[in-house]
């Protein structure tokens, strides 16, 4: 055959040039094509269940009467039908968990650890299936579920398996709480499940968990994992359904604790619903976290940090850095860089490995985001969005930037829970702190600066449970996570998170009746009963009651001991203002506070005879018992003086290249309502640990025997205690306690009294999410160190702030 007759395999000149032009265009634009992840195995899983899922109760699948659809928000297609648990189903699940509790506890921590290890391994073995199913159900990008969510899920089970192994030695003074009701949100469905279930099981509790209505699929796959590892029946129960299912779980009488992650509004409803029930509660709620950028920051790194802070998971993150606070000198330069980066962001199907932003979880959330954006525009804030359009076939919303936002604007104060960044400027470091704290929330904060001294100066001053330095949205099972203020209370992760799932064994020894020394029957000598004027103590000064009334105080034998001021709401107001005005005490080092406490103990010791005689007069104690209470009071002051500079945090063993500091901080302004019994010792045992850690307090002393407290302010006057550190209001303790509970500027409240008022305190405190510690009508023996002294008091007097400091080149 002649060469000229052969057919050339080469492309035509036209075709070749066309390809070259496309390659050149792609090279010049660097445009990415789609890179879809296969959903085949996830679809096989769904089909294996006929795309219908029932309830997981007592280790088995139980049919429900009703079902609802779960949707893929990327394309609005129905993924499956999910069971809707009724109140009867909830009751069955709780009953199963209660039945399984005893055997699960008796199994011991070491055996429980083996199950948690097995669960962790199974999650790793099926990690891709979990990641794909999560992306389909939630709408978040597959690269986030694959590279962030699922590895963290496995990490939580491994980490808490270790704590189960160590519980009998490291936490031997604590025990399980019982049946835990857990309600989780839709933004991190499987990760939130692991945050809740892993520590609960490790500490010996059993669980009834309700996943979010929008995103239940990975929780149901997790139920299969529990079956596969042979987890004892009833230890984990998964009940799906709407808000009414969660309400039935919250209100169930046999649930011993509620762990909730979700909105602040629902958190308040839960807090009020369980008030006075004795149920323990931890709440991880909303946020409006500041992202603070100082003028020396690396702005290119800042921009990438912003992408992770507010467009990670479409901004549907409780700790999203949704408030950008930028130093005025660099604001325009930074805004230009942010806008340029926003133009390059890709929004699309969650299964595309090349997208940056996925779908909003549901149409109702999409509508909420848009309404708040429109409100931001209506209020005069400057809005900017990229030039490109979002896909039309799903719940998509473009990344949005508001600049020159007023701090009082709705979008600066309300949680949008979407891909919307609001920016404000500041001039000085102090202004940055004020803007950062200008919110009812306190969940997280990011600080960006090349000056580590500046970063570590700002971090403790921002009211937030987590602070990231030159980083954002970094999480690990070894570090606690949780908020201040209306972002809730309690911690998840780290050793501090374990306390949410156990209780001190010593509580079993508390009494149903007050414990008092025997009353002596002989005549008590009362001297100066009327002429010795007792006053209240506010801001370091003696104060008469605002209402001008006094109360006659009688001892158990009916003898008049004296008159005490009758405090009122206005006196509480004045005391709270004085406590907030006192900045010196919290700023002192632990060593300096310890010196003051030692001085208090010395001065009380010098006057112990006088204080002993007061107890004899007020309480009809025998002299031996009165002397013993004073001596115990002095000794307890010395104990907390010793703790003042030794109640340390730690550097958490997190897996990222960070030094993660767990820093104990004072709660802030605390109310303390003392019991009627042990009027001197109970006053000392509650007030002194609180101030030892830097809190300022408003104290309501024993109503029936207040003079030990009013005498004590003379000790404070001679012991270098800054004015406003301890404020003393006498009068009817339950009504005054309610005023403290309602006060928005009180950060924490301890109440030692009856069961009915314990309920009132918890219910009234829900409005500003103040931390409460109440006794539900159970009584301590204040002379017993195991019951009334130690770390439990210090833990309730402090918050843990976790500060993440990256290291390395």
């Amino acid at each position: 055959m002649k060469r000229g007759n052969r057919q050339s395999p080469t492309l035509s000149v036209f075709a070749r040039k066309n390809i070259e032009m496309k390659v050149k265009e792609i090279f010049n634009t660097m445009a990415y094509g789609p890179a879809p992840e296969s959903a085949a195995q996830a679809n096989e899983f769904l089909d294996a269940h006929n795309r219908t899922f029932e309830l997981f109760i007592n280790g088995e699948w139980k049919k429900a009467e009703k079902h609802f659809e779960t949707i893929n928000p990327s394309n609005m297609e129905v993924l499956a039908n999910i069971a809707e648990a009724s109140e009867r189903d909830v009751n069955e699940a709780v009953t199963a968990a209660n039945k399984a509790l005893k055997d699960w506890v008796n199994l011991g921590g070491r055996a429980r650890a083996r199950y948690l290890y097995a669960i962790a391994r199974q999650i790793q073995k099926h990690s891709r299936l979990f990641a794909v199913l999560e992306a389909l159900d939630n709408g978040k990008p597959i690269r986030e579920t694959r590279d962030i969510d699922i590895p963290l899920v496995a990490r939580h089970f491994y980490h808490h398996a270790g704590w189960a192994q160590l519980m009998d030695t490291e936490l031997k003074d604590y025990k399980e709480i019982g049946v835990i009701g857990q309600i989780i949100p839709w933004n991190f469905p499987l990760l939130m499940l692991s945050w809740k279930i892993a520590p609960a099981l490790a500490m010996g509790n059993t669980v009834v968990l309700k996943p979010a209505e929008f995103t239940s699929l990975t929780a149901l796959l997790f139920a299969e994992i529990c079956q596969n590892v042979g987890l004892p029946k009833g230890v984990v129960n998964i009940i799906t359904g709407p808000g009414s299912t969660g309400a039935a779980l919250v209100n169930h009488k046999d649930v011993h604790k509620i762990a909730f992650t979700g909105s602040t509004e629902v958190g308040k409803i839960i807090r009020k619903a369980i008030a006075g029930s004795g149920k323990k509660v931890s709440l991880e709620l909303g946020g409006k976290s500041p992202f603070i950028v100082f003028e020396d920051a690396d702005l290119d790194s800042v921009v990438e940090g912003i992408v992770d802070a507010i467009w990670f998971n479409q901004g549907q993150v409780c700790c999203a850095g949704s408030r950008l606070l930028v130093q005025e000198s660099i604001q325009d330069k930074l805004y230009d860089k942010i806008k340029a980066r926003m133009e390059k962001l890709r929004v699309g199907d969650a299964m595309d490995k090349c997208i940056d932003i996925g779908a909003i979880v549901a149409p109702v959330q999409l509508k909420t985001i848009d309404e708040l954006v429109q409100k931001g525009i209506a209020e005069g804030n400057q809005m900017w969005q990229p030039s490109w359009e979002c896909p039309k076939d799903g719940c998509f919303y473009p990344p949005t930037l508001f600049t020159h936002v007023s701090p009082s604007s709705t979008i600066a104060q309300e949680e949008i829970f979407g891909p919307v960044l609001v920016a404000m400027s500041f001039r000085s470091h102090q202004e940055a702190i004020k803007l950062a704290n200008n919110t009812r929330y306190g969940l997280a904060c990011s600080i960006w600066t090349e000056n580590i001294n500046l970063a570590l100066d700002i971090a403790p001053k921002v009211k937030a449970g987590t602070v990231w330095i030159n980083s954002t949205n970094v999480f690990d099972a070894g570090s606690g996570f949780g908020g201040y203020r209306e972002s809730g209370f309690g911690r998840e992760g780290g050793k501090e998170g374990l306390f949410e799932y156990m209780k001190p064994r010593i509580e079993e020894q508390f009494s149903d009746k007050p414990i008092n020394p025997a009353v002596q029957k002989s005549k008590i000598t009362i001297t100066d009963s009327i002429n010795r004027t007792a006053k209240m103590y506010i801001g370091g000064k003696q104060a008469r009651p605002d209402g001008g009334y006094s109360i006659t105080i009688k001892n158990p034998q009916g003898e008049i001991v004296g008159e005490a001021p009758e405090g009122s709401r206005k006196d509480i107001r004045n005391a709270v203002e004085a406590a907030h005005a006192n900045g010196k005490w919290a700023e002192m080092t632990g060593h300096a506070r310890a010196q003051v406490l030692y001085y208090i103990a010395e001065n009380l010791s010098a006057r112990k005879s006088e204080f002993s005689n007061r107890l004899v007069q007020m309480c009809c104690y025998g002299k031996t018992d009165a002397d013993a209470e004073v001596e115990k009071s002095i000794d307890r002051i010395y104990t907390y003086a010793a703790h003042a500079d030794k109640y340390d945090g730690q550097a958490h063993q997190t897996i990222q290249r960070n030094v993660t500091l767990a820093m104990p901080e004072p709660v802030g302004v605390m109310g303390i309502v003392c019991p009627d019994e042990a009027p001197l010792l109970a006053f000392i045992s509650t007030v002194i640990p609180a101030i030892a850690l830097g809190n300022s307090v408003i104290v309501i002393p024993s109503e029936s025997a207040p003079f030990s407290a009013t005498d004590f302010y003379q000790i404070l006057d001679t012991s270098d205690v800054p004015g406003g550190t301890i404020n003393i209001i006498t009068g009817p303790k339950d009504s005054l306690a309610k005023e403290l509970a309602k006060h928005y500027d009180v950060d924490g409240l301890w109440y030692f009294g009856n069961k009915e008022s314990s309920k009132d305190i918890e219910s009234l405190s829900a409005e500003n999410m103040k931390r409460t510690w109440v006794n539900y009508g159970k009584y301590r023996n204040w002379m017993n160190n195991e019951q009334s002294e130690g770390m439990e008091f210090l833990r309730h007097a402090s918050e843990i702030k976790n500060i993440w400091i990256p290291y390395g080149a």
Side-chain angles (χ1 to χ4, degrees), residues 507-586:
E507 289 184 4
E508 297 173 346
Q509 298 181 21
F510 292 174
S511 171
D512 291 329
K513 295 181 179 180
I515 300 170
N516 283 306
V519 173
Q520 65 175 12
K521 302 298 184 180
S522 59
K523 179 78 173 177
I524 305 296
T525 302
I526 310 294
T527 58
D528 300 324
S529 60
I530 300 298
N531 295 329
R532 185 173 178 180
T533 303
K535 295 182 181 178
M536 298 185 299
Y537 191 66
I538 300 174
K541 299 177 181 178
Q542 298 180 36
R544 297 185 185 278
D546 185 270
Y549 290 98
S550 294
I551 303 171
T552 299
I553 304 299
K554 297 180 180 180
N555 65 20
Q557 294 186 164
E559 300 164 310
I560 295 176
V561 182
E563 293 179 326
E566 184 176 354
S568 66
R569 179 180 59 83
K570 290 184 178 180
D571 297 310
I572 294 289
R573 177 200 64 191
N574 295 338
V576 173
E577 289 177 358
H580 274 284
N582 168 36
K584 294 180 180 179
W585 184 250

Side-chain angles (χ1 to χ4, degrees), residues 110-314:
R110 293 171 184 265
R112 292 196 298 271
R114 301 299 184 269
Y115 284 107
L116 291 169
Y117 282 129
I119 290 172
R121 285 194 293 271
Q122 284 291 306
I123 288 167
Q124 288 180 321
K125 289 177 181 178
H126 301 283
S127 60
R128 203 67 162 203
L129 175 57
F130 273 112
V132 171
L133 198 61
E134 195 84 299
L136 290 172
D137 202 22
N138 175 273
K140 65 171 65 179
I142 179 64
R143 63 181 181 82
E144 291 182 10
T145 62
R146 178 195 66 200
D147 299 340
I148 300 173
D149 290 22
I150 307 308
L152 268 175
V153 170
R155 162 71 173 150
H156 271 270
F157 280 99
Y158 275 124
H159 178 80
H160 287 96
W163 275 120
Q165 183 80 15
L166 299 173
M167 183 179 181
D168 293 341
T169 54
E170 300 297 313
L171 300 163
K172 60 181 181 296
D173 294 331
Y174 291 85
K175 61 174 293 185
E176 77 290 341
I177 293 173
V179 174
I180 313 295
Q182 301 179 324
I183 303 171
I184 58 175
W186 44 258
N187 56 341
F188 292 93
L190 192 65
L191 185 56
M192 292 295 101
L193 176 149
S194 71
W195 282 24
K196 297 284 192 293
I197 288 183
L201 298 192
M203 297 298 101
N205 305 280
T206 55
V207 165
V208 180
L209 180 134
K210 192 199 90 67
E213 186 176 0
F214 293 143
T215 54
S216 301
L217 290 177
T218 48
L220 297 167
L221 175 56
F222 177 82
E224 286 196 359
I225 294 293
C226 292
Q227 284 183 315
N228 293 342
V229 302
L231 191 71
K233 291 184 175 183
V235 171
V236 169
N237 304 272
I238 309 289
I239 53 169
T240 50
S244 58
T245 301
L249 182 59
V250 167
N251 294 319
H252 200 289
K253 63 181 179 60
D254 292 329
V255 171
H256 305 109
K257 171 189 162 68
I258 295 295
F260 172 78
T261 298
S263 71
T264 295
E265 289 67 30
V266 175
K268 290 179 179 180
I269 292 170
I270 291 173
R271 185 90 185 277
K272 291 176 180 177
I274 66 173
S277 66
K279 292 178 184 176
K280 195 168 183 177
V281 63
S282 54
L283 301 170
E284 197 262 280
L285 308 175
K288 196 71 178 175
S289 299
F291 189 105
I292 309 172
V293 183
F294 291 97
E295 60 187 357
D296 66 338
D298 177 353
L299 295 190
D300 291 327
S301 295
V302 166
V303 171
E304 295 309 308
I306 288 170
V307 172
D308 287 338
I310 187 59
W311 294 308
F312 172 56
N313 197 16
Q314 300 73 255

Side-chain angles (χ1 to χ4, degrees), residues 29 90 124 133 153 163 267 314 369 397 417 423 436 449 497 509 513 538 567 580 594 703 710 733 788 798 803:
T29 62
V90 173
Q124 288 180 321
L133 198 61
V153 170
W163 275 120
Q314 300 73 255
I369 294 167
Y397 201 86
F417 223 63
T449 173
Q509 298 181 21
K513 295 181 179 180
I538 300 174
H580 274 284
E703 182 177 350
T710 57
K733 78 173 193 178
S788 305
S798 61
I803 303 176

Side-chain angles (χ1 to χ4, degrees), residues 503-793:
K503 60 184 179 182
R505 293 185 182 276
I506 198 68
E507 289 184 4
E508 297 173 346
Q509 298 181 21
F510 292 174
S511 171
D512 291 329
K513 295 181 179 180
I515 300 170
N516 283 306
V519 173
Q520 65 175 12
K521 302 298 184 180
S522 59
K523 179 78 173 177
I524 305 296
T525 302
I526 310 294
T527 58
D528 300 324
S529 60
I530 300 298
N531 295 329
R532 185 173 178 180
T533 303
K535 295 182 181 178
M536 298 185 299
Y537 191 66
I538 300 174
K541 299 177 181 178
Q542 298 180 36
R544 297 185 185 278
D546 185 270
Y549 290 98
S550 294
I551 303 171
T552 299
I553 304 299
K554 297 180 180 180
N555 65 20
Q557 294 186 164
E559 300 164 310
I560 295 176
V561 182
E563 293 179 326
E566 184 176 354
S568 66
R569 179 180 59 83
K570 290 184 178 180
D571 297 310
I572 294 289
R573 177 200 64 191
N574 295 338
V576 173
E577 289 177 358
H580 274 284
N582 168 36
K584 294 180 180 179
W585 184 250
E587 293 172 0
M588 291 169 64
T589 65
H591 170 75
R593 289 197 298 270
Q595 304 313 300
V596 175
L597 296 183
Y598 285 129
Y599 200 8
I600 291 174
E602 291 173 15
N603 286 330
L604 179 58
S605 182
R607 297 174 58 181
K608 59 185 177 183
S609 177
E610 173 190 339
F611 277 84
S612 177
N613 289 336
R614 267 292 198 186
L615 291 172
V616 171
Q617 293 175 0
M618 290 189 301
C619 306
C620 299
Y621 286 176
K623 190 68 168 64
T624 301
D625 289 329
D627 288 345
E629 182 166 326
V630 177
E631 285 291 348
K632 180 65 76 172
S633 299
I634 295 167
D635 181 68
R636 203 149 279 171
I637 297 171
Y638 275 113
T639 295
Y640 290 116
H643 275 300
D645 63 351
K646 299 176 186 66
Y647 187 70
D648 292 332
Q650 57 182 307
H652 283 312
Q653 294 287 333
T654 51
I655 60 176
Q656 293 91 348
R657 289 168 61 86
N658 284 277
V659 176
T660 310
L661 301 177
M663 179 185 294
E665 293 187 328
V667 171
V669 171
M670 291 178 57
I672 297 177
V673 184
C674 297
D676 285 334
E677 67 273 15
L680 175 62
L681 181 56
F683 173 87
I684 294 296
S685 300
T686 54
V687 170
I688 300 302
I691 67 168
L693 296 190
N695 297 284
S696 295
V697 298
I698 299 98
V699 192
I700 313 300
S702 169
E703 182 177 350
S704 60
F707 297 127
S708 287
T710 57
D711 289 350
F712 196 79
Y713 60 61
Q714 298 167 9
I715 300 284
L716 300 178
D717 284 338
T718 57
S719 302
D720 297 335
V721 180
T725 303
I726 298 177
N727 305 273
I728 302 170
I729 308 293
T730 56
K733 78 173 193 178
D734 286 340
S735 61
L736 292 172
K738 291 177 185 177
E739 296 300 330
L740 283 169
K742 289 186 288 186
H743 204 297
Y744 266 72
D745 285 335
V746 174
D747 303 306
L749 180 56
W750 295 357
Y751 173 83
F752 300 92
N754 61 57
K755 185 176 182 180
E756 293 73 22
S757 289
S758 292
K759 177 179 180 179
D760 292 336
I761 296 305
E762 290 188 325
S763 180
L764 293 170
S765 294
E767 205 53 45
N768 79 329
M769 280 295 155
K770 64 170 60 70
R771 285 92 180 105
T772 59
W773 189 26
V774 303
N775 68 332
Y776 303 113
K778 294 288 186 178
Y779 297 91
R780 299 169 185 265
N781 180 351
W782 294 98
M783 292 294 291
N784 184 323
N785 287 348
E786 290 184 350
Q787 293 188 26
S788 305
E789 176 185 276
M791 302 305 283
E792 193 71 7
F793 285 81

Side-chain angles (χ1 to χ4, degrees), residues 378-401:
E379 290 180 352
N381 302 294
Q382 298 179 26
M383 191 270 284
W384 191 91
Q385 291 177 335
S387 58
W388 43 261
E389 292 186 353
C390 290
K392 303 296 186 182
D393 53 353
C395 291
F396 298 102
Y397 201 86
T400 303
L401 170 67

Side-chain angles (χ1 to χ4, degrees), residues 33 41 95 427 584 601:
Q41 282 192 323
T95 300
R427 293 181 179 177
K584 294 180 180 179

